[in-house]
Amino acid sequence: MATITQPDIALTPAAAARVAAIAAKQGKPAILRLSVEGGGCSGFQYKFGFADAVEGDDTVAEVDGVRLVVDSISLDLVRGAQVDFVDSLGGAHFNVSNPNAASGCGCGTSFSV
């Protein structure tokens, strides 16, 4: 019997395409960094930014040549999460589906565990 394991972090093709487009416009490598900081209305908040390189303690997910990197401390809070890009009437944004979040705020940028 095979064991199916959940990846540590995942990036959807829609998110990868958006990161690639932004990186090309800014002349940066297509490396999106997700980190978790204290704050926000629910206790922790997601922070996105472009990275110049992958660091030694990063976990990396790669889709279509685009990399999502998460440092080891933040990974403990987002392990098993998926980063997607949503473009709807409410606006365009990166969305984190985090199985570790016990609750979150209405805007989806902060969470508690």
Side-chain angles (χ1 to χ4, degrees), residues 9-17 19-20 30 60-68 83:
I9 192 79
L11 183 68
T12 67
V19 170
V60 181
E62 187 166 340
V63 174
D64 300 330
V66 174
R67 290 180 279 179
L68 170 67
V83 176

Side-chain angles (χ1 to χ4, degrees), residues 27-88:
K28 294 187 176 247
I31 305 172
L32 179 67
R33 177 169 297 282
L34 168 62
S35 58
V36 176
E37 297 180 343
C41 50
S42 294
F44 294 103
Q45 59 188 355
Y46 302 112
K47 181 180 176 190
F48 289 100
F50 280 90
D52 292 323
V54 176
E55 301 296 327
D57 72 335
D58 286 339
T59 295
V60 181
E62 187 166 340
V63 174
D64 300 330
V66 174
R67 290 180 279 179
L68 170 67
V69 296
V70 181
D71 65 88
S72 60
I73 294 171
S74 296
L75 184 62
D76 286 341
L77 296 168
V78 296
R79 189 178 308 278
Q82 176 178 280
V83 176
D84 192 13
F85 182 73
V86 178
D87 191 357
S88 66

